Amino acid sequence: MTDKKIVIIGSGPAGYTAAVYAARAGLEPVVIAGSVTAGGELMNTTDVENFPGFPEGVMGPQLMENMRAQAEKFGAEIVYDDVTELRTEPGAHGITTALGAEYTAEAVILSTGSAYRELGLPNEKELSGHGVSWCATCDGFFFRDQEIAVIGGGDSALEEATFLTRFASKVTLVHRRQELRASQAMQDRAKADPKLEFLLDSEVAEIHGEDSLTGLTIRNTVTGETSQLPVTGMFVAIGSDPRTDLVKDTLTLREDGYLAVEGRTSKTGVEGVFAAGDVIDPTYRQAVTAAGSGCVAALDAEHYLAARAASETSQTAGVA
Ligand code: NAP
Protein backbone atom coordinates (compact mmCIF):
# COMPACT_ATOMS: atom_id res chain seq x y z
CA MET A 1 0.00 0.00 0.00
CA THR A 2 1.41 3.38 -1.01
CA ASP A 3 0.00 6.54 0.57
CA LYS A 4 0.04 9.55 -1.73
CA LYS A 5 -1.14 13.09 -1.52
CA ILE A 6 -2.34 13.02 -5.08
CA VAL A 7 -2.84 10.38 -7.74
CA ILE A 8 -3.65 11.36 -11.32
CA ILE A 9 -5.45 8.75 -13.40
CA GLY A 10 -4.81 9.19 -17.12
CA SER A 11 -2.01 10.77 -19.10
CA GLY A 12 -3.23 12.92 -21.96
CA PRO A 13 -2.62 16.68 -21.96
CA ALA A 14 -4.96 17.04 -18.95
CA GLY A 15 -3.20 14.42 -16.82
CA TYR A 16 0.33 15.52 -17.65
CA THR A 17 -0.46 19.22 -17.16
CA ALA A 18 -2.06 18.43 -13.80
CA ALA A 19 1.13 16.50 -12.97
CA VAL A 20 3.37 19.45 -13.90
CA TYR A 21 1.40 21.78 -11.62
CA ALA A 22 1.07 19.30 -8.76
CA ALA A 23 4.75 18.38 -8.94
CA ARG A 24 5.84 22.02 -8.97
CA ALA A 25 3.66 22.52 -5.87
CA GLY A 26 5.72 19.81 -4.13
CA LEU A 27 2.83 17.31 -3.99
CA GLU A 28 4.87 14.46 -5.56
CA PRO A 29 2.04 13.21 -7.76
CA VAL A 30 1.81 9.73 -9.16
CA VAL A 31 0.40 9.54 -12.69
CA ILE A 32 -1.12 6.18 -13.52
CA ALA A 33 -0.66 6.65 -17.22
CA GLY A 34 -2.25 3.52 -18.71
CA SER A 35 -0.38 0.48 -20.00
CA VAL A 36 -1.17 0.90 -23.70
CA THR A 37 -3.04 4.22 -23.70
CA ALA A 38 -0.28 6.36 -22.18
CA GLY A 39 -0.23 9.80 -23.75
CA GLY A 40 -3.87 9.54 -24.79
CA GLU A 41 -5.39 10.34 -28.15
CA LEU A 42 -2.60 12.68 -29.25
CA MET A 43 -0.37 9.61 -29.58
CA ASN A 44 -2.50 8.77 -32.65
CA THR A 45 -2.25 12.21 -34.18
CA THR A 46 0.25 13.58 -36.65
CA ASP A 47 0.93 17.32 -36.93
CA VAL A 48 -0.61 19.46 -34.22
CA GLU A 49 -0.61 22.97 -35.64
CA ASN A 50 -2.77 24.73 -33.10
CA PHE A 51 -1.03 24.08 -29.78
CA PRO A 52 0.34 27.50 -28.75
CA GLY A 53 4.10 27.79 -28.59
CA PHE A 54 4.90 25.66 -31.62
CA PRO A 55 4.79 27.98 -34.65
CA GLU A 56 6.05 25.20 -36.93
CA GLY A 57 3.62 22.65 -35.44
CA VAL A 58 4.57 19.60 -33.40
CA MET A 59 3.87 15.89 -33.80
CA GLY A 60 1.24 14.67 -31.31
CA PRO A 61 3.47 11.95 -29.78
CA GLN A 62 6.34 14.45 -29.42
CA LEU A 63 4.06 16.91 -27.64
CA MET A 64 3.04 14.22 -25.18
CA GLU A 65 6.64 13.12 -24.68
CA ASN A 66 7.54 16.75 -23.87
CA MET A 67 4.69 17.01 -21.35
CA ARG A 68 5.70 13.73 -19.70
CA ALA A 69 9.34 14.82 -19.46
CA GLN A 70 8.30 18.18 -18.00
CA ALA A 71 6.17 16.48 -15.32
CA GLU A 72 8.99 14.06 -14.46
CA LYS A 73 11.51 16.88 -14.26
CA PHE A 74 9.54 18.36 -11.35
CA GLY A 75 9.23 15.02 -9.56
CA ALA A 76 6.06 13.39 -10.88
CA GLU A 77 6.20 9.59 -10.90
CA ILE A 78 4.76 8.01 -14.05
CA VAL A 79 3.43 4.47 -13.75
CA TYR A 80 2.48 2.52 -16.90
CA ASP A 81 -0.41 0.58 -15.45
CA ASP A 82 -4.23 0.67 -15.57
CA VAL A 83 -6.52 1.52 -12.70
CA THR A 84 -9.10 -1.21 -12.24
CA GLU A 85 -10.85 0.17 -9.17
CA LEU A 86 -11.31 3.52 -7.46
CA ARG A 87 -12.94 3.49 -4.02
CA THR A 88 -13.91 7.01 -3.06
CA GLU A 89 -13.38 7.58 0.64
CA PRO A 90 -12.66 11.17 1.62
CA GLY A 91 -9.19 11.48 3.08
CA ALA A 92 -7.95 8.16 1.71
CA HIS A 93 -9.33 7.24 -1.70
CA GLY A 94 -8.37 3.66 -2.57
CA ILE A 95 -6.90 2.79 -5.97
CA THR A 96 -6.16 -0.69 -7.31
CA THR A 97 -4.28 -1.31 -10.57
CA ALA A 98 -4.22 -4.14 -13.07
CA LEU A 99 -0.71 -5.09 -11.96
CA GLY A 100 -1.92 -5.38 -8.37
CA ALA A 101 -0.57 -2.12 -6.94
CA GLU A 102 -2.60 -0.45 -4.19
CA TYR A 103 -2.54 3.27 -3.45
CA THR A 104 -4.42 5.54 -1.13
CA ALA A 105 -4.61 9.17 -2.11
CA GLU A 106 -5.90 12.26 -0.34
CA ALA A 107 -6.78 13.73 -3.73
CA VAL A 108 -7.47 12.07 -7.05
CA ILE A 109 -7.59 13.71 -10.47
CA LEU A 110 -9.46 11.78 -13.13
CA SER A 111 -8.22 12.56 -16.62
CA THR A 112 -9.18 9.37 -18.37
CA GLY A 113 -10.06 11.06 -21.67
CA SER A 114 -12.25 9.34 -24.21
CA ALA A 115 -12.36 6.15 -26.23
CA TYR A 116 -12.87 5.73 -29.98
CA ARG A 117 -16.43 5.05 -31.08
CA GLU A 118 -17.18 1.89 -33.04
CA LEU A 119 -19.67 1.48 -35.88
CA GLY A 120 -21.21 -1.47 -34.06
CA LEU A 121 -21.34 -3.70 -37.14
CA PRO A 122 -20.70 -7.46 -37.36
CA ASN A 123 -17.10 -8.23 -38.33
CA GLU A 124 -15.80 -4.84 -37.13
CA LYS A 125 -14.08 -6.17 -34.00
CA GLU A 126 -13.09 -9.49 -35.63
CA LEU A 127 -11.23 -7.68 -38.42
CA SER A 128 -9.62 -5.13 -36.10
CA GLY A 129 -5.92 -5.31 -36.91
CA HIS A 130 -6.75 -7.16 -40.14
CA GLY A 131 -7.85 -4.22 -42.24
CA VAL A 132 -10.04 -2.39 -39.72
CA SER A 133 -8.27 0.28 -37.68
CA TRP A 134 -8.86 3.36 -35.50
CA CYS A 135 -5.37 4.79 -35.88
CA ALA A 136 -3.97 6.03 -39.18
CA THR A 137 -0.60 6.96 -37.74
CA CYS A 138 -0.23 3.49 -36.22
CA ASP A 139 -1.43 1.41 -39.17
CA GLY A 140 -1.34 3.57 -42.30
CA PHE A 141 2.04 2.21 -43.29
CA PHE A 142 0.56 -1.28 -43.82
CA PHE A 143 -1.71 -0.05 -46.60
CA ARG A 144 0.88 1.09 -49.10
CA ASP A 145 -0.61 1.22 -52.63
CA GLN A 146 -3.94 -0.15 -51.42
CA GLU A 147 -7.43 1.34 -51.48
CA ILE A 148 -8.74 2.53 -48.14
CA ALA A 149 -11.98 3.92 -46.74
CA VAL A 150 -12.14 6.42 -43.88
CA ILE A 151 -15.47 6.71 -42.06
CA GLY A 152 -16.62 10.01 -40.54
CA GLY A 153 -16.95 13.68 -41.42
CA GLY A 154 -15.21 15.45 -38.52
CA ASP A 155 -11.70 16.82 -38.12
CA SER A 156 -10.34 13.39 -37.16
CA ALA A 157 -11.71 11.70 -40.28
CA LEU A 158 -10.37 14.36 -42.62
CA GLU A 159 -7.02 14.45 -40.87
CA GLU A 160 -6.70 10.66 -41.07
CA ALA A 161 -7.86 10.57 -44.70
CA THR A 162 -5.36 13.24 -45.73
CA PHE A 163 -2.56 11.49 -43.84
CA LEU A 164 -3.42 8.12 -45.41
CA THR A 165 -3.05 9.43 -48.97
CA ARG A 166 0.72 9.28 -48.29
CA PHE A 167 0.48 5.49 -48.42
CA ALA A 168 -2.74 4.49 -50.15
CA SER A 169 -3.37 4.47 -53.88
CA LYS A 170 -6.82 5.92 -53.14
CA VAL A 171 -8.72 7.00 -50.04
CA THR A 172 -12.52 7.23 -50.01
CA LEU A 173 -14.05 9.28 -47.21
CA VAL A 174 -17.48 7.89 -46.34
CA HIS A 175 -19.73 10.31 -44.45
CA ARG A 176 -23.37 9.87 -43.52
CA ARG A 177 -24.47 13.42 -44.43
CA GLN A 178 -23.85 15.89 -47.27
CA GLU A 179 -22.21 18.49 -44.98
CA LEU A 180 -18.90 17.74 -43.34
CA ARG A 181 -18.47 18.58 -39.67
CA ALA A 182 -14.73 19.27 -39.98
CA SER A 183 -13.25 22.77 -39.85
CA GLN A 184 -13.02 24.70 -43.11
CA ALA A 185 -9.21 24.58 -43.07
CA MET A 186 -9.27 20.79 -42.80
CA GLN A 187 -11.91 20.52 -45.54
CA ASP A 188 -9.93 22.76 -47.91
CA ARG A 189 -6.80 20.66 -47.42
CA ALA A 190 -8.68 17.39 -47.95
CA LYS A 191 -10.53 18.61 -51.03
CA ALA A 192 -7.25 19.68 -52.64
CA ASP A 193 -5.84 16.17 -52.27
CA PRO A 194 -6.05 14.35 -55.63
CA LYS A 195 -5.99 10.89 -54.02
CA LEU A 196 -9.00 11.61 -51.81
CA GLU A 197 -12.60 11.00 -52.91
CA PHE A 198 -15.76 11.82 -50.99
CA LEU A 199 -18.71 9.46 -50.71
CA LEU A 200 -21.32 11.63 -48.99
CA ASP A 201 -24.82 10.75 -47.75
CA SER A 202 -23.35 7.29 -47.26
CA GLU A 203 -22.83 4.81 -44.45
CA VAL A 204 -21.25 1.41 -44.03
CA ALA A 205 -23.92 -1.30 -44.11
CA GLU A 206 -21.68 -4.39 -44.08
CA ILE A 207 -18.04 -5.24 -43.54
CA HIS A 208 -16.71 -8.11 -45.66
CA GLY A 209 -13.77 -10.44 -45.22
CA GLU A 210 -12.86 -13.64 -43.37
CA ASP A 211 -9.22 -13.30 -42.37
CA SER A 212 -8.81 -9.74 -43.57
CA LEU A 213 -10.97 -6.96 -44.95
CA THR A 214 -11.98 -7.35 -48.60
CA GLY A 215 -14.62 -4.66 -48.99
CA LEU A 216 -17.61 -2.76 -47.68
CA THR A 217 -21.24 -2.54 -48.61
CA ILE A 218 -22.19 1.13 -48.65
CA ARG A 219 -25.76 2.32 -48.19
CA ASN A 220 -26.92 5.70 -49.47
CA THR A 221 -28.58 7.36 -46.46
CA VAL A 222 -31.03 9.27 -48.68
CA THR A 223 -32.09 6.71 -51.27
CA GLY A 224 -31.29 3.50 -49.37
CA GLU A 225 -29.46 2.14 -52.43
CA THR A 226 -26.44 -0.04 -51.75
CA SER A 227 -23.14 -0.38 -53.59
CA GLN A 228 -19.82 -2.16 -53.08
CA LEU A 229 -16.57 -0.46 -52.12
CA PRO A 230 -13.64 -2.83 -52.64
CA VAL A 231 -11.16 -1.68 -49.99
CA THR A 232 -8.57 -3.56 -47.95
CA GLY A 233 -8.42 -0.94 -45.22
CA MET A 234 -11.11 0.85 -43.22
CA PHE A 235 -10.26 3.56 -40.70
CA VAL A 236 -13.11 4.42 -38.35
CA ALA A 237 -12.99 8.07 -37.20
CA ILE A 238 -16.49 8.79 -35.91
CA GLY A 239 -15.61 10.49 -32.65
CA SER A 240 -15.20 9.19 -29.17
CA ASP A 241 -17.00 8.75 -25.87
CA PRO A 242 -15.79 9.72 -22.39
CA ARG A 243 -14.05 6.95 -20.44
CA THR A 244 -16.11 6.81 -17.27
CA ASP A 245 -16.22 3.05 -16.61
CA LEU A 246 -14.16 3.43 -13.44
CA VAL A 247 -16.53 5.90 -11.80
CA LYS A 248 -19.90 5.59 -13.53
CA ASP A 249 -21.47 4.10 -10.39
CA THR A 250 -19.81 6.38 -7.86
CA LEU A 251 -19.65 9.85 -9.44
CA THR A 252 -22.37 11.92 -11.06
CA LEU A 253 -22.55 11.73 -14.85
CA ARG A 254 -24.29 14.26 -17.06
CA GLU A 255 -27.12 13.16 -19.34
CA ASP A 256 -24.69 12.90 -22.27
CA GLY A 257 -22.44 10.55 -20.31
CA TYR A 258 -19.64 13.02 -19.48
CA LEU A 259 -18.50 13.41 -15.87
CA ALA A 260 -20.30 16.25 -14.11
CA VAL A 261 -18.21 18.96 -12.42
CA GLU A 262 -19.27 22.04 -10.46
CA GLY A 263 -19.31 25.13 -12.70
CA ARG A 264 -15.89 26.08 -14.04
CA THR A 265 -14.13 24.02 -11.38
CA SER A 266 -12.94 20.41 -11.59
CA LYS A 267 -14.87 19.33 -8.46
CA THR A 268 -16.88 16.16 -9.01
CA GLY A 269 -19.04 16.52 -5.89
CA VAL A 270 -17.07 13.81 -4.04
CA GLU A 271 -14.61 15.37 -1.62
CA GLY A 272 -11.06 15.20 -2.93
CA VAL A 273 -11.98 13.82 -6.36
CA PHE A 274 -11.39 16.14 -9.31
CA ALA A 275 -11.80 15.62 -13.05
CA ALA A 276 -10.21 17.21 -16.11
CA GLY A 277 -9.89 17.00 -19.87
CA ASP A 278 -12.06 15.20 -22.42
CA VAL A 279 -13.83 13.13 -19.76
CA ILE A 280 -15.68 16.31 -18.66
CA ASP A 281 -15.76 18.14 -22.00
CA PRO A 282 -18.31 17.30 -24.70
CA THR A 283 -17.71 20.59 -26.50
CA TYR A 284 -14.17 21.87 -27.03
CA ARG A 285 -12.03 18.75 -26.83
CA GLN A 286 -8.77 20.34 -27.91
CA ALA A 287 -5.30 19.51 -26.61
CA VAL A 288 -4.97 23.04 -25.28
CA THR A 289 -8.36 23.06 -23.52
CA ALA A 290 -7.56 19.67 -21.97
CA ALA A 291 -4.21 21.03 -20.76
CA GLY A 292 -5.95 24.09 -19.28
CA SER A 293 -8.47 21.84 -17.59
CA GLY A 294 -5.64 19.77 -16.09
CA CYS A 295 -4.17 22.95 -14.66
CA VAL A 296 -7.55 23.82 -13.07
CA ALA A 297 -7.78 20.36 -11.49
CA ALA A 298 -4.27 20.57 -10.03
CA LEU A 299 -5.00 24.01 -8.54
CA ASP A 300 -8.33 22.80 -7.10
CA ALA A 301 -6.59 19.75 -5.63
CA GLU A 302 -3.79 21.88 -4.22
CA HIS A 303 -6.29 24.21 -2.47
CA TYR A 304 -8.19 21.21 -1.15
CA LEU A 305 -5.03 19.62 0.28
CA ALA A 306 -3.91 22.92 1.82
CA ALA A 307 -7.31 23.35 3.48
CA ARG A 308 -7.15 19.79 4.83
CA ALA A 309 -3.65 20.34 6.18
CA ALA A 310 -4.69 23.62 7.81
CA SER A 311 -7.72 22.00 9.41
CA GLU A 312 -5.62 19.09 10.74
CA THR A 313 -3.07 21.54 12.17
CA SER A 314 -5.77 23.57 13.93
CA GLN A 315 -7.36 20.38 15.30
CA THR A 316 -3.99 19.22 16.64
CA ALA A 317 -3.37 22.68 18.16
CA GLY A 318 -6.85 22.57 19.69
CA VAL A 319 -6.14 19.17 21.29
CA ALA A 320 -2.81 20.37 22.64
P1 NAP B 1 -16.56 14.65 -34.18
O1 NAP B 1 -16.24 16.08 -34.44
O2 NAP B 1 -17.58 14.31 -33.16
O3 NAP B 1 -16.99 14.02 -35.57
C1 NAP B 1 -17.47 12.71 -35.66
C2 NAP B 1 -17.92 12.45 -37.09
O4 NAP B 1 -18.30 11.09 -37.19
C3 NAP B 1 -19.10 13.31 -37.48
O5 NAP B 1 -18.94 13.72 -38.81
C4 NAP B 1 -20.28 12.34 -37.33
O6 NAP B 1 -21.30 12.56 -38.27
C5 NAP B 1 -19.65 11.00 -37.64
N1 NAP B 1 -20.31 9.92 -36.92
C6 NAP B 1 -20.59 9.84 -35.59
N2 NAP B 1 -21.16 8.66 -35.29
C7 NAP B 1 -21.28 7.99 -36.45
C8 NAP B 1 -21.79 6.70 -36.81
N3 NAP B 1 -22.29 5.88 -35.88
N4 NAP B 1 -21.74 6.34 -38.09
C9 NAP B 1 -21.21 7.15 -39.04
N5 NAP B 1 -20.69 8.38 -38.77
C10 NAP B 1 -20.73 8.78 -37.49
O7 NAP B 1 -15.27 13.82 -33.75
P2 NAP B 1 -13.74 14.01 -34.19
O8 NAP B 1 -13.62 14.23 -35.63
O9 NAP B 1 -13.03 12.85 -33.57
O10 NAP B 1 -13.29 15.33 -33.44
C11 NAP B 1 -13.43 15.45 -32.01
C12 NAP B 1 -12.89 16.80 -31.58
O11 NAP B 1 -11.48 16.83 -31.75
C13 NAP B 1 -13.47 17.97 -32.36
O12 NAP B 1 -13.63 19.05 -31.48
C14 NAP B 1 -12.39 18.29 -33.36
O13 NAP B 1 -12.39 19.64 -33.76
C15 NAP B 1 -11.14 17.93 -32.58
N6 NAP B 1 -10.04 17.56 -33.48
C16 NAP B 1 -9.21 18.57 -33.89
C17 NAP B 1 -8.17 18.28 -34.74
C18 NAP B 1 -7.25 19.40 -35.16
O14 NAP B 1 -7.59 20.55 -34.95
N7 NAP B 1 -6.09 19.10 -35.75
C19 NAP B 1 -7.98 16.98 -35.23
C20 NAP B 1 -8.86 15.98 -34.82
C21 NAP B 1 -9.89 16.30 -33.95
P3 NAP B 1 -22.24 13.84 -38.17
O15 NAP B 1 -21.41 14.97 -38.65
O16 NAP B 1 -23.37 13.50 -39.08
O17 NAP B 1 -22.65 13.95 -36.74
Side-chain angles (χ1 to χ4, degrees):
M1 179 75 72
T2 315
D3 294 325
K4 293 286 169 192
K5 282 209 170 316
I6 179 160
V7 168
I8 297 166
I9 305 175
S11 59
Y16 281 148
T17 304
V20 168
Y21 273 76
R24 286 194 76 245
L27 297 172
E28 299 175 347
V30 172
V31 180
I32 306 182
S35 55
V36 291
T37 53
E41 273 193 41
L42 278 167
M43 298 302 281
N44 301 327
T45 310
T46 51
D47 282 329
V48 179
E49 293 178 332
N50 49 14
F51 198 89
F54 296 90
E56 306 304 326
V58 58
M59 297 301 276
Q62 184 63 55
L63 181 61
M64 297 322 299
E65 171 62 20
N66 291 357
M67 288 192 194
R68 183 195 57 74
Q70 193 173 355
E72 280 189 321
K73 176 178 141 185
F74 293 114
E77 183 189 346
I78 317 288
V79 178
Y80 297 98
D81 196 355
D82 300 298
V83 175
T84 51
E85 200 187 339
L86 170 65
R87 297 170 300 281
T88 52
E89 220 164 286
H93 303 291
I95 293 156
T96 304
T97 73
L99 294 177
E102 297 281 348
Y103 298 87
T104 61
E106 283 183 62
V108 171
I109 294 178
L110 287 159
S111 47
T112 43
S114 50
Y116 295 126
R117 248 178 231 151
E118 297 174 5
L119 290 168
L121 291 172
N123 243 357
E124 182 180 11
K125 277 219 172 76
E126 290 77 356
L127 292 179
S128 168
H130 301 278
V132 178
S133 172
W134 280 261
C135 177
T137 43
C138 316
D139 299 330
F141 179 80
F142 300 115
F143 296 90
R144 198 171 283 282
D145 297 327
Q146 299 179 38
E147 298 198 3
I148 299 179
V150 174
I151 320 302
D155 280 330
S156 298
L158 267 69
E159 187 177 49
E160 300 239 314
T162 309
F163 173 75
L164 286 165
T165 59
R166 292 186 198 181
F167 309 102
S169 54
K170 180 177 150 194
V171 176
T172 305
L173 185 111
V174 180
H175 177 45
R176 63 186 178 183
R177 294 185 297 136
Q178 192 59 227
E179 297 77 30
L180 295 164
R181 186 179 288 277
S183 62
Q184 196 57 48
M186 207 72 96
Q187 290 193 36
D188 292 345
R189 190 174 310 169
K191 283 177 180 161
D193 193 319
K195 279 196 195 169
L196 187 46
E197 283 186 11
F198 291 81
L199 202 50
L200 301 175
D201 285 336
S202 297
E203 63 186 6
V204 180
E206 284 176 40
I207 300 169
H208 304 291
E210 299 232 323
D211 301 325
S212 63
L213 182 70
T214 53
L216 304 172
T217 297
I218 303 292
R219 186 191 300 119
N220 185 297
T221 52
V222 179
T223 64
E225 275 171 30
T226 57
S227 58
Q228 297 304 312
L229 188 64
V231 288
T232 48
M234 173 175 78
F235 288 78
V236 182
I238 59 171
S240 42
D241 293 310
R243 284 178 198 265
T244 54
D245 279 357
L246 207 52
V247 291
K248 62 179 188 303
D249 298 326
T250 46
L251 299 184
T252 307
L253 301 187
R254 298 159 33 119
E255 255 181 27
D256 56 13
Y258 286 79
L259 262 184
V261 288
E262 294 169 14
R264 297 188 64 211
T265 77
S266 62
K267 296 175 188 170
T268 62
V270 170
E271 196 189 310
V273 180
F274 305 88
D278 280 6
V279 75
I280 64 166
D281 179 10
T283 313
Y284 301 105
R285 306 172 53 78
Q286 304 295 304
V288 68
T289 50
S293 169
C295 160
V296 167
L299 294 177
D300 284 345
E302 197 183 328
H303 293 152
Y304 167 76
L305 291 170
R308 262 181 69 81
S311 132
E312 273 170 19
T313 309
S314 67
Q315 275 172 18
T316 316
V319 169

